[in-house]
């Protein structure tokens, strides 16, 4: 049965691949984009890929409202419009992600937060809290959160460079102007990304627990797509290429073409589309799936346990409450 799906990060990379597949399957899509130009281009590319509107794809099946995840006011305006329209959302997919590997100084959101955590975590918590009434009104509703294995310092990706770790959230608690969530250290772009993915895991677990304890248990599915490096200039690494284009291209050559330990956007997008729609994923509860590398050119999707820190319920509660305060929303009481 067709579902109505809101998917962030649908303008490129994994999100675009998933969006194309979901439309081909007959699902309705809302694809928030950072500005009107990106929204118009994304819709045009998707319709062209499907040969125009196509059979079973009327105009209302695909919309792309503006929601700049680097600006909480823009997120609020998008949520206001969707709530006013009032149409239920069957699957909420929080997929957009920013990595600024190689950056020496932090960029800032419109509200002054370090941009990686603002886009990857704070904006998604704001969107989920605002749109939860539409999700709870949906057909067999669920939430999907794109995380990463790098949240776990024991994984291959998590072991490279400084590990994820949120400390006592000193930086986040200090409000606008912080450089790192844990505070106490100078900005490190790679760690900022890992920390944001750890926040995604803690957020997903805290959300599922709150929904269950409120008597409305839903599936909350976190997943790691693995290392995905497209052959074009778009996708996840587009920001990092600005700081070290040669290094990024050499990394892509080794990881994707020589060692063959990457997934393609199409492969990862297909997994994301399945998580968003398959009935077998409809059981309530939190689950975490990881696209694991078995060998050159061999990947396996598996249910795995999050890192020890991602399973810290007390930390999840503190992060949830502080983040809700920073985005100006009540924390969805237990």
């Amino acid at each position: 049965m067709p579902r109505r799906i809101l998917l962030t990060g649908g303008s490129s990379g994994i999100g675009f691949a998933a969006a194309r597949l979901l439309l081909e399957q007959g699902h309705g899509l809302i694809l928030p984009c950072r500005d009107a130009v990106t929204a118009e281009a994304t819709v045009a590319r998707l319709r062209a890929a499907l040969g125009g509107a196509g059979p079973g794809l009327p105009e209302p099946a695909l919309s792309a409202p503006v929601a700049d995840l680097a600006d909480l006011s823009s997120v609020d305006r998008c949520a206001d419009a969707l709530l006013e329209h009032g149409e239920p959302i069957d699957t909420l997919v929080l997929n957009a992600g920013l990595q600024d590997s190689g950056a020496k100084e932090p960029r800032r959101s419109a509200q002054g937060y370090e941009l990686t955590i603002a886009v990857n975590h704070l904006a998604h918590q704001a969107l989920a809290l605002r749109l939860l009434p539409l999700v709870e009104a949906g057909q067999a509703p669920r939430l999907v959160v794109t995380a990463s294995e790098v949240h776990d310092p024991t994984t291959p990706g998590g072991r490279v460079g400084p590990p994820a770790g949120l400390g006592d959230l000193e930086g986040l608690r200090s409000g606008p102007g912080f450089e790192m969530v844990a505070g106490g250290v100078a900005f490190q772009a790679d760690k900022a990304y890992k920390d944001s993915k750890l926040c995604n895991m803690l957020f997903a677990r805290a959300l599922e627990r709150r929904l269950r304890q409120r008597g409305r248990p839903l599936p909350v599915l976190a997943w790691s797509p693995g290392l995905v490096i497209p052959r074009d200039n778009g996708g996840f690494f587009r920001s990092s290429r600005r700081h070290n284009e040669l290094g990024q291209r050499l990394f892509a050559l080794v990881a994707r073409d020589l060692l063959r330990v990457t997934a393609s956007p199409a492969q990862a997008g297909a997994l994301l589309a399945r998580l968003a729609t398959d009935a077998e994923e409809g059981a309530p509860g939190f689950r975490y799936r990881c696209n694991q590398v078995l060998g050159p050119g061999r990947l396996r999707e598996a249910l795995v346990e999050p890192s020890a820190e991602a399973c810290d319920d007390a930390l999840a509660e503190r992060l949830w409450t502080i983040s809700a305060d920073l985005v100006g929303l009540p924390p969805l009481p237990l």
Side-chain angles (χ1 to χ4, degrees):
M1 182 177 296
R3 297 178 67 80
R4 189 167 189 259
I5 300 165
L6 188 148
L7 166 69
T8 66
S11 63
S12 65
I14 295 170
F16 185 86
R20 176 175 177 171
L21 182 57
L22 289 167
L23 287 172
E24 289 174 345
Q25 294 171 349
H27 302 287
L29 281 187
I30 307 164
L31 301 177
C33 293
R34 62 183 175 273
D35 54 46
V37 172
T38 303
E40 183 178 349
T42 300
V43 170
R45 286 175 61 211
L46 284 167
R47 292 198 178 281
L50 272 66
L57 185 61
E59 290 296 324
L62 173 60
S63 63
V66 172
D68 183 356
L69 300 183
D71 183 355
L72 292 171
S73 296
S74 178
V75 172
D76 277 343
R77 289 192 293 271
C78 178
D80 285 342
L82 291 169
L83 287 164
E84 182 177 0
H85 188 61
E87 192 168 352
I89 294 170
D90 302 319
T91 305
L92 177 61
V93 183
L94 306 176
N95 166 73
L98 167 72
Q99 184 183 43
D100 228 3
S101 180
K104 303 303 182 184
E105 300 291 335
R107 291 191 288 162
R108 299 284 172 190
S109 72
Q111 286 70 38
Y113 303 124
E114 191 278 312
L115 195 60
T116 313
I117 201 72
V119 169
N120 295 2
H121 169 61
L122 291 175
H124 279 139
Q125 179 154 338
L127 196 63
L129 285 171
R130 291 295 312 279
L131 296 181
L132 192 56
L134 298 182
V135 175
E136 290 186 314
Q139 167 188 265
R142 72 184 66 171
L143 296 97
V144 181
V145 179
T146 299
S148 171
E149 73 159 10
V150 302
H151 87 276
D152 185 348
T154 69
T155 63
R159 286 195 295 266
V160 178
L166 305 185
D168 67 354
L169 305 172
E170 177 186 350
L172 196 67
R173 285 190 286 109
S174 69
F178 70 86
E179 294 199 351
M180 301 297 293
V181 171
V185 296
F187 177 70
Q188 299 171 290
D190 288 345
K191 177 172 167 53
Y193 175 71
K194 291 177 180 179
D195 289 349
S196 76
K197 296 290 101 179
L198 177 54
C199 287
N200 289 160
M201 297 293 293
L202 289 161
F203 158 78
R205 291 185 64 253
L207 175 59
E208 189 279 328
R209 185 167 58 254
R210 274 175 157 72
L211 292 171
R212 176 167 28 91
Q213 293 180 355
R214 291 170 70 232
R216 189 67 167 94
L218 296 180
V220 179
L221 313 174
W223 75 297
S224 169
L227 183 58
V228 181
I229 307 178
R231 295 189 177 278
D232 59 27
N233 290 323
F236 178 67
F237 288 98
R238 62 188 182 278
S239 295
S240 299
R241 290 193 195 101
R242 293 199 310 267
H243 306 293
N244 184 7
E245 182 170 358
L246 178 58
Q248 288 288 340
R249 294 195 180 281
L250 286 174
F251 174 67
L253 176 65
V254 172
R256 184 188 59 213
D257 301 317
L258 298 180
L259 298 179
R260 294 192 295 139
V261 294
T262 67
S264 69
Q267 289 170 327
L271 176 53
L272 178 55
R274 188 183 72 73
L275 292 173
T277 60
D278 275 16
E280 68 184 45
E281 297 293 348
F286 170 82
R287 294 183 292 283
Y288 170 50
R289 293 189 177 276
C290 188
N291 208 11
Q292 299 175 321
V293 176
L294 299 179
R298 297 169 55 226
L299 298 172
R300 178 188 64 185
E301 170 207 341
L303 276 172
V304 297
E305 289 297 315
S307 72
E309 191 168 356
C311 293
D312 185 335
D313 290 343
L315 178 61
E317 289 303 311
R318 293 197 299 275
L319 175 67
W320 179 281
T321 302
I322 293 167
S323 300
D325 182 63
L326 291 179
V327 301
L329 293 169
L332 187 67
L334 293 168

